[in-house]
């Protein structure tokens, strides 16, 4: 079986006693494009009906490809940015138009992005794809004479957020999901059986989700219960089901657990130590101490790079697993681009000596001022140009494999993206799909590779 679990830091599953799972987009997978399309249209409706935006924006159609995970939204300028691991801006769009290289240099010069700045939002999860698309579309409209009365870019971002919050509060988003589960939620028999296998090996599995109990119950009833063999209901399968958990606060604060009665949904304060069951709220601290666990014996798997992974690692010593579904395509495309990259490398191997020759001739002219190498230099420059002409279609061939607007998620040119940096720094293991993890033996030893440093050959 191919090992599709990628390892940043060695992890011995034999030592892991508790495996925690985020629910949305981790344990329960969505038909992401459908869901984001729905979110886009619900937000548009709220903007028009509640926040006074012109009716004509209802014509905007959702474009799934317009944004990728890890992008940064600059709310003040209306720009979308792709940032390198060092915080440098490597690609940018204003609204729906790319900002060209020279203009970008001028606007951002040596700006490095500090993501702690409130002006920036990052696309951390699948749930932000529609937000980024709608923001870019409205910025694009705001720049036209017809729509110049739209609020400032920053206010547009605030309004979209407010529209989304309202949709969550009044249930307009989740009600549609509830009525059409098969359009939005993936049901997968295999994952349920794999979970039962892990439990046979003595692993305790728990859910830790920010979704509230009624919505969690809806999804779990639909996606888990029909496929159980050794258990009557998901409530027996999972040692703990912690809903409304307020991650990332869960990882650093000391909020109390409330016990939920699954029949009525009523909640009561927990005064004694935690026992298996269904809860709301709580904290990692209490969870670890009440169960008398070593934090290193808990593995938590989630798909929100900040809320599930980065903050967890900064605040507690649980091990981390990161899920992002785009990884599958990215790995596939990296394989496809290998042979093209090899062609580029071969051409570069021809180009570099020519450039060195040119440099040497120029140096010679400077150092021995009687010498004139102009003709020879021009000839060499022509040869370099010929090679460049062969390289550039190869580069666009590679770019076409990935997202048409943004390219790879994990890289910006040869540098890693900021997103890749976060994954590498904070996720002990990562994979495209929760099945990749549970398809491994519960006794696996995930070993990290020796990593190359700049001076390594
Ligand atoms: Mg999630």
């Amino acid at each position: 079986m191919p090992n599709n679990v990628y390892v940043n830091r060695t992890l011995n599953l034999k030592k892991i006693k508790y495996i925690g799972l985020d629910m949305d987009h981790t344990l329960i997978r969505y038909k992401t494009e459908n869901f984001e399309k729905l979110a886009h249209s619900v937000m548009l409706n709220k903007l028009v009906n509640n926040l006074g935006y012109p009716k004509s924006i209802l014509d905007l159609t959702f474009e799934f490809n317009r944004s990728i995970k890890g992008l940064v939204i600059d709310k003040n300028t209306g720009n979308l940015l792709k940032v390198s691991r060092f915080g440098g801006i490597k690609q940018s769009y204003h609204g729906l138009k790319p900002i060209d290289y020279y203009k970008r240099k001028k606007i951002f010069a040596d700006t490095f992005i500090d993501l702690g700045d409130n002006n920036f939002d990052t696309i951390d999860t699948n749930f932000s794809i529609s937000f980024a698309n709608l923001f870019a579309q409205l910025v694009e409209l705001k720049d036209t004479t017809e729509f110049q009365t739209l609020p400032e870019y920053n206010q547009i971002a605030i309004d979209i957020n407010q529209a989304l919050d309202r949709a969550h509060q009044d249930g307009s988003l989740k009600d549609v999901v509830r009525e059409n589960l098969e359009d939005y939620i993936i049901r997968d028999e295999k994952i349920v059986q794999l979970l039962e296998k892990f439990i046979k090996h003595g692993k305790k599995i728990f859910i830790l989700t920010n979704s509230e109990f009624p919505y969690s119950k809806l999804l779990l009833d639909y996606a888990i219960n029909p496929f159980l063999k050794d258990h009557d209901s998901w409530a027996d399968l999972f040692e703990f089901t912690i809903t409304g958990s307020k991650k990332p606060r869960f990882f650093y604060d000391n909020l109390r657990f409330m016990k939920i009665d699954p029949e009525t949904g009523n909640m009561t304060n927990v005064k004694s130590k935690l026992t298996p069951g269904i809860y709301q709220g709580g904290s990692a601290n209490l969870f670890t101490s009440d169960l008398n666990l070593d934090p290193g014996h808990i593995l938590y798997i989630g798909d929100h790079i900040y809320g599930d992974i980065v903050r967890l690692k900064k605040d507690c010593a649980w091990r981390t697993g990161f899920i992002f579904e785009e990884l599958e395509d990215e790995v596939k495309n990296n394989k496809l681009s290998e042979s093209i990259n090899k062609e580029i490398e071969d051409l570069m191997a021809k180009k570099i000596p020519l450039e060195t020759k040119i440099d040497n001739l120029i140096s010679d002219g400077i150092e021995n001022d009687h010498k004139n190498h102009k003709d020879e230099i021009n000839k060499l420059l022509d040869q370099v140009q010929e090679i460049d002409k062969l390289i550039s279609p190869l580069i666009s061939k590679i770019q076409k494999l990935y997202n048409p607007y943004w390219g790879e998620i994990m890289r910006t040119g040869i540098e890693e993206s900021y997103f890749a940096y976060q994954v590498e720094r904070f996720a002990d293991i990562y994979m495209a799909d929760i099945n990749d993890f549970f398809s491994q033996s519960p006794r696996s030893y995930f070993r990290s590779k020796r990593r190359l440093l700049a001076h390594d050959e």
Side-chain angles (χ1 to χ4, degrees):
M1 186 192 318
N3 187 352
N4 296 326
V5 176
Y6 303 97
V7 186
N8 288 323
R9 268 170 298 283
T10 296
L11 176 79
N12 183 356
L13 263 195
K14 286 191 207 84
K15 286 197 176 157
I16 298 296
K17 295 179 175 158
Y18 276 72
I19 301 170
L21 303 174
D22 169 57
M23 184 180 74
D24 300 289
H25 290 296
T26 297
L27 171 63
I28 307 277
R29 283 168 301 142
Y30 281 67
K31 296 181 180 171
T32 303
E33 188 163 352
N34 289 356
F35 185 85
E36 290 307 293
K37 189 175 174 198
L38 170 69
H40 183 270
S41 87
V42 167
M43 288 188 286
L44 272 177
N45 277 312
K46 296 273 175 228
L47 286 174
V48 171
N49 297 332
N50 302 81
L51 295 162
Y53 278 61
K55 249 201 167 109
S56 51
I57 66 166
L58 293 174
D59 295 337
L60 292 172
T61 51
F62 175 58
E63 272 187 280
F64 186 56
N65 273 342
R66 270 290 176 176
S67 55
I68 54 172
K69 259 177 219 163
L71 294 182
V72 175
I73 302 169
D74 180 341
K75 290 180 278 189
N76 282 343
T77 60
N79 296 336
L80 240 63
L81 315 169
K82 189 171 169 193
V83 177
S84 77
R85 73 170 305 158
F86 303 111
I89 298 159
K90 295 295 173 177
Q91 252 182 298
S92 52
Y93 276 74
H94 177 74
L96 303 173
K97 291 188 191 72
I99 303 176
D100 73 52
Y101 178 79
Y102 295 102
K103 204 167 163 198
R104 201 170 76 223
K105 279 270 168 222
K106 219 168 124 191
I107 307 175
F108 302 117
D110 293 320
T111 316
F112 286 85
I113 296 292
D114 170 11
L115 291 174
D117 185 331
N118 271 342
N119 175 47
F120 298 121
D121 266 348
T122 40
I123 303 179
D124 281 333
T125 119
N126 288 340
F127 285 144
S128 316
I129 297 289
S130 51
F131 179 95
N133 182 214
L134 184 53
F135 179 66
Q137 289 174 322
L138 292 175
V139 166
E140 185 78 13
L141 285 183
K142 161 87 184 156
D143 290 350
T144 62
T145 20
E146 197 192 339
F147 287 93
Q148 58 183 324
T149 51
L150 282 181
E152 295 304 317
Y153 303 141
N154 196 316
Q155 187 62 40
I156 291 177
I158 293 171
D159 290 345
I160 301 175
N161 259 324
Q162 204 187 330
L164 190 61
D165 283 347
R166 280 194 192 213
H168 281 299
Q169 278 157 20
D170 68 13
S172 42
L173 197 55
K174 287 180 174 165
D175 285 349
V176 180
V177 177
R178 190 185 308 275
E179 296 307 315
N180 308 276
L181 280 165
E182 67 286 1
D183 292 337
Y184 299 104
I185 304 297
I186 295 170
R187 271 214 280 205
D188 177 7
E189 183 170 358
K190 192 173 159 221
I191 185 63
V192 180
Q193 276 147 28
L194 292 171
L195 289 171
E196 289 196 316
K197 182 176 96 180
F198 264 62
I199 289 168
K200 271 192 190 144
H201 280 257
K203 303 293 183 202
K204 314 271 191 215
I205 318 257
F206 66 98
I207 292 179
L208 175 62
T209 172
N210 283 0
S211 283
E212 299 297 327
F213 175 71
Y215 185 68
S216 307
K217 177 175 165 17
L218 173 77
L219 297 200
L220 295 167
D221 282 348
Y222 176 72
I224 304 286
N225 278 358
F227 308 119
L228 287 167
K229 295 221 164 90
D230 308 336
H231 301 80
D232 293 333
S233 132
W234 56 264
D236 310 318
L237 182 73
F238 301 110
E239 192 83 355
F240 292 89
T241 304
I242 303 166
T243 61
S245 71
K246 296 195 168 60
K247 289 175 294 176
R249 229 177 127 184
F250 183 89
F251 298 116
Y252 60 81
D253 216 335
N254 279 305
L255 301 176
R256 287 162 60 172
F257 282 98
M258 310 270 283
K259 179 124 186 156
I260 297 178
D261 177 342
E263 296 302 314
T264 60
N266 288 343
M267 287 184 245
T268 45
N269 276 323
V270 178
K271 295 204 179 78
S272 50
K273 281 197 172 182
L274 277 187
T275 51
I278 303 169
Y279 293 89
Q280 151 123 348
S283 74
N285 257 341
L286 266 177
F287 186 83
T288 314
S289 62
D290 273 9
L291 298 174
N292 205 15
L293 286 167
D294 176 330
H297 293 164
I298 307 171
L299 168 68
Y300 184 66
I301 304 177
D303 67 283
H304 193 302
I305 187 65
Y306 184 75
D308 289 333
I309 305 295
V310 174
R311 273 319 293 260
L312 184 162
K313 260 304 185 220
K314 287 184 174 174
D315 294 302
C316 63
W318 293 11
R319 307 301 306 270
T320 48
F322 179 57
I323 302 272
F324 74 114
E325 62 188 37
E326 300 87 343
L327 183 64
E328 192 182 344
D329 279 343
E330 193 126 324
V331 169
K332 226 183 273 166
N333 293 332
N334 291 349
K335 287 236 157 30
L336 289 174
S337 64
E338 255 169 31
S339 63
I340 311 171
N341 267 323
K342 177 81 183 63
E343 283 180 62
I344 295 176
E345 268 172 36
D346 292 347
L347 288 165
M348 286 303 287
K350 287 184 187 148
K351 179 177 151 175
I352 292 167
L354 297 175
E355 286 177 334
T356 313
K357 265 189 202 166
I358 295 170
D359 281 341
N360 289 343
L361 288 171
I362 293 172
S363 298
D364 192 53
I366 294 168
E367 289 158 24
N368 306 300
D369 57 5
H370 56 284
K371 283 201 174 173
N372 183 343
H373 299 295
K374 210 171 154 200
D375 289 346
E376 212 178 330
I377 290 175
N378 280 340
K379 229 169 96 189
L380 286 164
L381 281 172
D382 285 345
Q383 290 176 29
V384 167
Q385 214 178 15
E386 284 308 307
I387 295 177
D388 280 342
K389 270 190 211 154
L390 298 173
I391 291 177
S392 68
L394 293 174
I395 291 176
S396 33
K397 212 166 152 187
I398 288 181
Q399 280 166 346
K400 281 201 188 92
L401 291 171
Y402 300 92
N403 179 284
Y405 302 101
W406 296 101
E408 285 175 75
I409 295 179
M410 296 297 263
R411 284 203 174 77
T412 63
I414 59 161
E415 265 176 34
E416 288 123 73
S417 63
Y418 190 78
F419 183 77
Y421 154 74
Q422 288 180 307
V423 173
E424 190 195 39
R425 168 79 181 76
F426 298 100
D428 295 332
I429 54 173
Y430 63 101
M431 64 220 95
D433 184 323
I434 192 74
N435 276 296
D436 293 329
F437 175 80
F438 283 105
S439 299
Q440 310 295 321
S441 155
R443 306 178 56 75
S444 295
Y445 198 110
F446 296 110
R447 286 183 177 83
S448 63
K449 286 188 223 160
R450 180 174 182 270
R451 289 172 38 76
L452 289 186
L453 294 165
H455 65 275
D456 288 325
E457 288 288 328

